[in-house]
Amino acid sequence: MQHRTSTAKHNRLEALKRSRQRERKSERKSQGGFTFLGLLLAIVLLGIGLTAASEVWFTTAQRQRQAQSQWVAQEFVRAIGSYYESGPGGVKRFPKSVDDLLEDRRSGTVRRHLRQIYVNPQTGSREWAWVTAPDGGLMGVQAPVWQAGTESLRQPEFVYVPLKP
């Protein structure tokens, strides 16, 4: 009889152990789910933050390119004005090409109104849209500028207008 009670006791203990193991497993599973949800939420919040930061960075970079583009356009206008005003013998005319701004040989000595052809910050190339003068020379440049609040590009003209005597 004692053998039966010890076997029954043993079976109850085994059943109790299995029951406790199942409880522990279910606790771990439920905690694992909360950890996963917490990690997922953290990743979503990080993604939203990075998206906002990238928009700010893009806007700042775009404004810097626009400011650089306007500065370069003003340098071209200054060089065109210098070329126009320094004509030998009082003959004032616009340069026929950008190369005339880099090397002006009209007076016998070389004069540099512009040190280099600047890179267009908006396109990354040295190509510019030039504004032609009535006599066929260059009187200005168009500098691409992004319009605020839109995705469109406009081309304002920066031109040298000579003063009338």
Side-chain angles (χ1 to χ4, degrees):
M1 178 102 180
Q2 192 171 10
H3 178 56
R4 280 187 178 182
T5 51
S6 68
T7 306
K9 226 184 209 185
H10 179 66
N11 288 342
R12 279 186 287 190
L13 284 174
E14 286 297 317
L16 188 59
K17 282 182 184 177
R18 284 192 298 263
S19 165
R20 285 185 183 160
Q21 286 176 348
R22 276 188 237 129
E23 286 176 7
R24 286 186 200 136
K25 283 184 180 178
S26 69
E27 283 177 13
R28 276 190 248 138
K29 283 183 181 177
S30 65
Q31 288 175 356
F34 285 119
T35 303
F36 179 71
L37 286 176
L39 182 62
L40 191 61
L41 179 65
I43 290 172
V44 166
L45 292 176
L46 182 66
I48 291 170
L50 288 174
T51 300
S54 70
E55 287 176 12
V56 169
W57 176 82
F58 178 76
T59 303
T60 301
Q62 188 175 13
R63 286 181 184 157
Q64 288 175 345
R65 283 192 306 271
Q66 184 170 334
Q68 179 71 16
S69 181
Q70 289 176 350
W71 179 84
V72 169
Q74 290 169 351
E75 283 296 302
F76 280 130
V77 170
R78 184 201 53 75
I80 290 169
S82 173
Y83 182 93
Y84 183 87
E85 297 297 332
S86 66
V91 176
K92 297 184 179 192
R93 64 180 181 115
F94 289 103
K96 295 290 180 196
S97 71
V98 183
D99 294 331
D100 291 341
L101 297 175
L102 297 173
E103 260 186 49
D104 181 6
R105 296 183 180 269
R106 295 179 296 170
S107 62
T109 60
V110 175
R111 181 161 180 205
R112 300 184 189 283
H113 302 281
L114 190 65
R115 289 177 167 244
Q116 64 179 340
I117 300 173
Y118 294 100
V119 172
N120 186 334
Q122 299 290 349
T123 62
S125 72
R126 294 188 189 277
E127 298 296 319
W128 291 86
W130 297 101
V131 178
T132 55
D135 69 352
L138 304 177
M139 72 182 285
V141 66
Q142 292 179 343
V145 177
W146 290 99
Q147 287 182 303
T150 66
E151 294 297 320
S152 62
L153 190 67
R154 63 186 180 90
Q155 300 264 348
E157 293 182 350
F158 293 82
V159 296
Y160 176 74
V161 180
L163 297 174
K164 294 184 180 179

